[in-house]
Structures are given as structure tokens and as C-alpha cells.
Amino acid sequence: QVQLVESGGGLVQPGGSLRLSCVASGSIFRINSMRWYRQAPGKERELVATITSGSTTNYADSVKGRFTISRDNAKNTVYLQMNSLKPEDTAVYYCNANVNLTRWIRRDYWGQGTQVTVSS
């Protein structure tokens, strides 16, 4: 019903930057909060950043001041600008969206993930 497709991952040196994108498509009445999570090898998935429908943002302490989440409602897209990247930021990054399919039906959806590797 709803698909989330991430892009923008890759290999970057420490101190570098990447911009992730996640486009939602399908039977969408309204997109509520959108989030970025990440999962490093051998670790649990962790919440990185959240942006509400009103563009209020929240960040994990580990990325505050380095990452910026934003959204373009006209394009059903959420972004994650990642600056000053560190090796510990290496993970698969997942997009999550809370979507109203109708006025009364709400679901959570996940993207397939995009790999971010920070290494020299």
C-alpha cells in the first residue's frame, strides 16, 4: 500500500558528509511523523532523528549538532543531512513513516535500508 525508498548511502571518510533521502509513495492520505533509525552490526536498531508533521525535530544525543532531519511534504520525502561523520556512525539507516491511509486507518511503514560506512 505504501512504499518507502531510501537513497544516498555510501562510503565516506571520517569528517565527511552524506545526505540520505526517503521517498514515500502509494495510497497516502497523510504522512504524520517520519523518522530515521540505524542499526550497526551486532547492535539493536536505534532511533536517530524524528520530524513531526509540523516539522518539530528531535535527535539522539549521539548525533545532535551533526545531523539534520527535514521533510518536503509536497514530495512525500524526508531527508537526513549527516555532517562530521564518525566511524561509529557506520550502520544501515532505515526510514520510518507513520501514515494515514484514510482518515481513520494509520500504519507504520519501513524502508529497505541504505548502508552508510564511515572509514578511511
Side-chain angles (χ1 to χ4, degrees), residues 2-7 20-26 28 31 34 36 75-79 95 97 111-112:
V2 174
Q3 297 79 40
L4 301 180
V5 178
E6 299 111 331
S7 61
L20 306 183
S21 300
C22 172
V23 181
S25 63
I28 297 170
I31 301 177
M34 304 184 82
W36 286 97
K75 296 181 179 180
N76 288 341
T77 300
V78 63
Y79 305 97
C95 172
Q112 81 287 354

Side-chain angles (χ1 to χ4, degrees), residues 4 6 22 31-38 46-52 58 69 71 78-80 93-98 108-111:
L4 301 180
E6 299 111 331
C22 172
I31 301 177
N32 304 305
S33 292
M34 304 184 82
R35 296 177 173 87
W36 286 97
Y37 287 78
R38 67 185 181 186
E46 65 169 340
L47 177 61
V48 175
T50 301
I51 186 166
T52 68
N58 196 26
I69 188 171
R71 63 191 288 171
V78 63
Y79 305 97
L80 186 68
Y93 284 71
Y94 296 92
C95 172
N96 168 273
N98 183 265
D108 263 2
Y109 292 92
W110 292 87

Side-chain angles (χ1 to χ4, degrees), residues 93-114:
Y93 284 71
Y94 296 92
C95 172
N96 168 273
N98 183 265
V99 178
N100 270 86
L101 303 178
T102 69
R103 183 171 294 181
W104 302 278
I105 299 173
R106 181 184 289 194
R107 297 278 188 272
D108 263 2
Y109 292 92
W110 292 87
Q112 81 287 354
T114 186

Side-chain angles (χ1 to χ4, degrees), residues 7-73:
S7 61
L11 173 64
V12 63
Q13 292 187 343
S17 298
L18 283 176
R19 188 193 195 206
L20 306 183
S21 300
C22 172
V23 181
S25 63
S27 183
I28 297 170
F29 176 76
R30 182 180 63 241
I31 301 177
N32 304 305
S33 292
M34 304 184 82
R35 296 177 173 87
W36 286 97
Y37 287 78
R38 67 185 181 186
Q39 188 166 20
K43 294 189 176 182
E44 294 187 354
R45 191 172 295 190
E46 65 169 340
L47 177 61
V48 175
T50 301
I51 186 166
T52 68
S53 57
S55 294
T56 299
T57 60
N58 196 26
Y59 299 92
D61 288 342
S62 58
V63 306
K64 279 181 182 176
R66 301 188 298 122
F67 290 10
T68 302
I69 188 171
S70 61
R71 63 191 288 171
D72 184 333
N73 291 327

